[in-house]
Amino acid sequence: MSQQFPAKQGLLFNEVLLFEKTSPGRMGYSLPENDVTEKVDLASELLREDVPLLPELSELDVVRHYTRLSQWNYSIDTGFYPLGSCTMKYNPKVNEEAARMSGFLKVHPAQDSSTLQGALQLMCELQKDLAVMSGMDAVTLQPAAGAHGEFTGLLMVRAYHTHKGNPRKKIIIPDTAHGTNPASAALCNYKVVQIKSGKEGVLTPEAVAEVMDEEVAALMLTNPNTLGLFEKNIAEIAKIVHDKGGLVYCDGANQNALLGNARAGDLGVDVMHFNLHKTFTTPHGGGGPGCGPVAVKKILEPYLPVPILRREGDQYFLDEHCPLSVGKVRAFFGNFGMMVRAYTYIREMGPEGLKGVSNMAVLNANYMKARLKNHYHLAYEQPCMHECVFSDKRQQEFGIKTMDIAKRLMDYGYHPPTVYFPLVVPGALMIEPTETESLETLDLFCDALIKIAEEAKSNPDILHEAPHVTSHQKLDEVRAVKNPILKWEKELKN
């Protein structure tokens, strides 16, 4: 294997569990003898009968264990992450510095708002920035993540229709939506009506008109969709929905492809959520914390969750007296640290910088598409936005599947891209390079994929048995699913 790729020998350290490293009598602490003579009587049911089975280790044992485990982590600080903004967009370190400033770090949500003026001002300005960028009228920062934002947005949709006398029953969702869309609709007690995208991979007005009626509360549309394609018919589709009294929800998870180029509010959208961790760099890998603000048009503003952040003169305050509000959706005001990071990023970049982010993300994705389309089946030919979708269709004749390609990429030192999603492309391989990756990085990753495509023809077994140079080789995934072992037990080890 060429040495130009990041991995030469995979991960070097093999680390056993702390329970397996234990040595009776070994300690990692040194405390003075207990000189407290006073005793407290506890009820017998609160007392243990046996000493807990904990590992006995030195401090060095523990430090080395966790240091080695940290070296197993694949992170954006160590390598290219083709999952893109979904979970691990580059996060400028200055954002972290800002979030750790004592004035932000030590505020407590139970403080009186008169002592939180700086934090409230930041939140208020962030709301305005998001409203301007999306072409909407009002924003709430409360939701904890994108899916929570969807839920909050649909709660407002339901409140709006209920206030008009009929909550309606259905939500239209295309087959290129994120999986959280139907889940959010179901949580809000709506029936999901799924419709198919057209031949070009985008939703057609005709498909929407066919199912649109007065029982539809809203249409949920991801734009760009999960195929990485811009929903070019959105304005015409919005008119069809509005003419029947419905609302248009935009899943804004892919806004990093549109910043400075198109605004959802100008395209007929009534409500949308942002993923601050995707579009504005807030770290979210590993599941949190995130922040999923929701922006709405004027007609939905009365239903925003409380508290509502307002300003009178030079004073910021939190208003809980909003009779039509859907109520609270999060403890206090949301994940404030994430807001500081996003605010810092927006201020760093400015309008032109944010537009440049989108343009570079789109350029990078199309560059990779052009380099790889002669080696992998391209699901849709038209220019993509921030991500491109291939499949294993060409490799299947050699007995190779998408998962084999993904595992082999690990031998070259890369985290695999998204696989088997979106579901409308069988054997999907979705690559999202983000705007911050250099041409050299993109080329090396493409070189690795091209080499793997050649290996699929000449030596398919090397893919079947991959990965070869990681600390653990190919896992028995069926056994892992059917017989999961999620905790250590002495009996199992013995």
Side-chain angles (χ1 to χ4, degrees):
M1 185 180 299
S2 170
Q3 292 189 3
Q4 66 180 328
F5 299 112
K8 290 194 295 183
Q9 294 178 293
L11 301 170
L12 298 177
F13 296 113
N14 183 28
E15 190 64 16
V16 299
L17 300 176
L18 287 178
F19 289 102
E20 297 170 300
K21 293 169 71 78
T22 187
S23 177
R26 186 174 295 177
M27 291 191 297
Y29 63 90
S30 176
L31 299 175
E33 288 193 16
N34 182 12
D35 59 357
V36 177
T37 57
E38 186 177 351
K39 294 184 178 179
V40 176
D41 291 327
L42 295 175
S44 59
E45 64 268 23
L46 298 177
L47 299 176
R48 296 185 64 103
E49 294 181 357
D50 303 313
V51 176
L53 186 63
L54 296 174
E56 297 175 76
L57 302 158
S58 70
E59 180 180 278
L60 196 54
D61 289 332
V62 177
V63 169
R64 285 179 176 168
H65 174 76
Y66 285 107
T67 302
R68 288 175 172 176
L69 285 186
S70 75
Q71 293 171 336
W72 283 17
N73 285 337
Y74 190 97
S75 72
I76 195 66
D77 285 342
T78 55
F80 175 47
Y81 209 87
L83 286 170
S85 65
C86 277
T87 49
M88 196 60 78
K89 187 172 179 173
Y90 169 63
N91 301 289
K93 300 301 178 269
V94 68
N95 295 3
E96 300 304 309
E97 290 290 325
R100 286 169 173 74
M101 292 170 69
S102 61
F104 293 136
L105 189 64
K106 295 180 179 177
V107 295
H108 193 285
Q111 286 179 226
D112 186 87
S113 61
S114 64
T115 67
L116 295 170
Q117 289 298 298
L120 296 180
Q121 181 180 350
L122 182 147
M123 293 167 64
C124 193
E125 292 184 5
L126 178 58
Q127 288 184 170
K128 287 181 180 177
D129 288 343
L130 296 177
V132 170
M133 284 187 273
S134 59
M136 309 295 272
D137 298 311
V139 174
T140 176
L141 298 174
Q142 274 195 50
H148 194 201
E150 292 173 24
F151 177 68
T152 302
L154 290 181
L155 281 182
M156 286 188 271
V157 168
R158 172 168 281 278
Y160 166 81
H161 287 300
T162 301
H163 188 64
K164 294 185 63 155
N166 179 11
R168 301 196 172 199
K169 299 177 181 175
K170 299 183 287 189
I171 299 287
I172 299 173
I173 300 177
D175 56 1
T176 54
H178 287 109
T180 50
N181 287 185
S184 297
L187 277 173
C188 290
N189 204 28
Y190 282 115
K191 177 184 176 183
V192 174
V193 179
Q194 188 184 76
I195 51 177
K196 289 186 177 181
S197 301
K199 292 180 179 177
E200 295 182 329
V202 297
L203 201 55
T204 63
E206 293 77 18
V208 176
E210 189 173 338
V211 296
M212 187 66 208
D213 59 30
E214 281 77 9
E215 286 301 324
V216 172
L219 170 122
M220 293 185 82
L221 192 63
T222 303
N223 200 10
N225 64 27
T226 57
L227 291 169
L229 305 176
F230 182 72
E231 292 284 356
K232 60 183 182 181
N233 302 314
I234 184 171
E236 189 176 350
I237 288 171
K239 185 176 186 311
I240 293 170
V241 175
H242 289 154
D243 285 347
K244 295 286 186 181
L247 300 175
V248 178
Y249 186 107
C250 178
D251 180 330
N254 294 339
Q255 282 297 297
N256 51 314
L258 298 182
L259 285 176
N261 291 305
R263 305 195 309 170
D266 299 336
L267 301 172
V269 169
D270 302 294
V271 50
M272 68 170 289
H273 77 266
F274 294 86
N275 289 33
L276 293 191
H277 55 274
K278 293 187 67 174
T279 309
F280 303 108
T281 76
T282 296
H284 191 56
C291 190
V294 177
V296 298
K297 283 290 183 64
K298 206 72 178 174
I299 56 170
L300 290 174
E301 190 172 357
Y303 310 101
L304 285 168
V306 289
I308 305 289
L309 180 54
R310 302 191 193 281
R311 178 184 180 181
E312 280 187 0
D314 294 332
Q315 291 296 304
Y316 298 89
F317 68 98
L318 297 162
D319 184 4
E320 304 235 9
H321 303 290
C322 308
L324 297 182
S325 167
V326 296
K328 292 178 74 70
V329 297
R330 184 80 173 91
F332 299 105
F333 327 120
N335 290 331
F336 178 64
M338 307 302 110
M339 302 172 201
V340 176
R341 291 174 172 89
Y343 179 84
T344 305
Y345 182 72
I346 291 170
R347 284 293 180 273
E348 286 177 290
M349 301 301 292
E352 289 304 313
L354 292 173
K355 185 175 182 178
V357 164
S358 290
N359 293 343
M360 284 302 298
V362 174
L363 177 63
N364 283 358
N366 280 283
Y367 177 76
M368 297 190 79
K369 180 171 81 76
R371 277 215 62 196
L372 295 172
K373 68 178 184 180
N374 291 330
H375 306 275
Y376 292 88
H377 173 254
L378 186 62
Y380 292 89
E381 288 286 344
Q382 56 265 51
C384 62
M385 299 298 285
H386 64 299
E387 60 195 15
C388 50
V389 180
F390 295 94
S391 79
D392 59 5
K393 194 172 181 179
R394 291 188 186 179
Q395 284 70 39
Q396 284 181 16
E397 64 176 295
F398 310 110
I400 298 298
K401 299 179 180 177
T402 294
M403 189 57 72
D404 300 319
I405 298 167
K407 298 290 186 186
R408 182 59 177 155
L409 264 172
M410 296 167 71
D411 286 336
Y412 287 88
Y414 292 109
H415 192 291
T418 301
V419 295
Y420 298 112
F421 184 83
L423 300 178
V424 291
V425 178
L429 192 71
M430 184 170 77
I431 303 170
E432 185 178 358
T434 78
E435 75 285 352
T436 48
E437 298 298 344
S438 68
L439 180 61
E440 293 80 7
T441 299
L442 300 184
D443 275 335
L444 272 179
F445 184 73
C446 289
D447 289 345
L449 274 172
I450 292 169
K451 196 170 180 60
I452 290 170
E454 293 168 353
E455 290 174 344
K457 300 175 186 175
S458 61
N459 186 11
D461 282 346
I462 200 170
L463 272 73
H464 291 144
E465 295 163 7
H468 300 270
V469 296
T470 53
S471 63
H472 291 75
Q473 274 65 62
K474 199 157 194 170
L475 303 177
D476 185 340
E477 294 175 355
V478 174
R479 183 182 172 196
V481 170
K482 291 188 175 181
N483 184 29
I485 300 174
L486 304 176
K487 65 178 183 179
W488 181 85
E489 292 181 2
K490 188 176 182 180
E491 291 74 16
L492 284 175
K493 182 62 183 173
N494 292 336

